[in-house]
Amino acid sequence: MGDLIGIAITFQTFGDYIRHRLILSLLVYLVTISDIGLEVSTMLFSTFTIEKPLLYYKGGEFIANGPWRHRRMYHKGDYEMILCIKGPIYLQIGDRREALNAHEVLLVPPFTPMFGYQDSQGSVDFYWLHFFSQHREDTFESEEDEVVSEVKTNKNAKRKIYLPMKFKLVDYEEATILIHQILSIHNE
């Protein structure tokens, strides 16, 4: 990732620059340690170009004791990444229903309604990060093997991150460290 250092973009503070770099690092890290085999034949993917940094918008950690249900939201151009620490969390994203369990990540695309379709009876704990892309990103449905083949054969694909909309982390501790770094820089 050393070739990303030369990105020409103006940030108001050095903290802004670091936060944006951390979000991109987090996405790259998530791709390298994820186990996307969630027992589905095809899945949704989003691509993110690595030519321009992603722009952090807001984020935090949410903890609640059950019963709890996510309120209705609409993403106005921003993505949301949710890392479930304790669940399940029942979310409807557009017309898809997802039950998010511990150590699973869900990516909510822009211009998409989202709400809880069922109460979580026990305690829930999750991190949430909203960010914008400076590039028009693609969302598509494919099989994992086809995406891997595309990345291996297409030279342009190497300038993108292919992130499944839902996946399980093999090692979630490192991801939580990166999220804590993003949130702490934002709070400075």
Side-chain angles (χ1 to χ4, degrees):
M1 237 179 22
D3 58 331
L4 298 178
I5 300 294
I7 293 171
I9 190 163
T10 303
F11 296 101
Q12 291 186 351
T13 68
F14 183 68
D16 287 342
Y17 171 76
I18 296 299
R19 186 169 53 248
H20 299 306
R21 298 286 303 171
L22 284 170
I23 291 172
L24 185 58
S25 297
L26 176 63
L27 289 181
V28 170
Y29 177 76
L30 292 176
V31 169
T32 60
I33 61 135
S34 65
D35 175 16
I36 62 176
L38 289 172
E39 300 171 9
V40 291
S41 56
T42 61
M43 56 193 339
L44 284 173
F45 287 84
S46 278
T47 61
F48 294 94
T49 182
I50 59 174
E51 301 298 323
K52 294 184 178 180
L54 299 170
L55 304 174
Y56 176 82
Y57 174 39
K58 59 184 176 179
E61 181 178 16
F62 182 83
I63 301 171
N65 294 318
W68 173 83
R69 183 184 299 214
H70 200 291
R71 68 180 175 87
R72 186 172 295 275
M73 299 180 68
Y74 181 77
H75 291 82
K76 298 177 183 176
D78 59 307
Y79 288 85
E80 181 178 6
M81 184 181 66
I82 300 170
L83 168 56
C84 181
I85 303 301
K86 188 173 186 181
I89 304 166
Y90 302 100
L91 298 171
Q92 182 158 333
I93 315 300
D95 59 359
R96 286 185 352 265
R97 287 189 168 188
E98 301 285 355
L100 200 57
N101 294 297
H103 309 162
E104 289 181 346
V105 174
L106 181 69
L107 188 66
V108 181
F111 307 108
T112 306
M114 174 180 115
F115 62 91
Y117 68 87
Q118 177 180 325
D119 285 349
S120 296
Q121 296 303 317
S123 298
V124 296
D125 183 359
F126 62 91
Y127 291 101
W128 53 278
L129 296 173
H130 289 255
F131 60 92
F132 289 93
S133 175
Q134 297 185 71
H135 184 267
R136 183 173 171 85
E137 307 297 353
D138 296 322
T139 299
F140 61 94
E141 194 167 330
S142 183
E143 294 184 16
E144 177 183 353
D145 294 342
E146 291 175 8
V147 172
V148 170
S149 176
E150 169 72 13
V151 171
K152 287 181 177 179
T153 59
N154 185 346
K155 289 183 181 181
N156 292 331
K158 297 190 185 340
R159 303 301 298 163
K160 293 182 178 182
I161 298 170
Y162 289 76
L163 193 65
M165 300 299 271
K166 181 181 178 186
F167 55 94
K168 185 171 182 76
L169 292 177
V170 176
D171 176 13
Y172 80 98
E173 290 91 358
E174 185 70 26
T176 59
I177 289 170
L178 287 169
I179 290 171
H180 278 254
Q181 290 174 340
I182 292 166
L183 295 175
S184 70
I185 290 171
H186 177 69
N187 291 329
E188 287 181 353

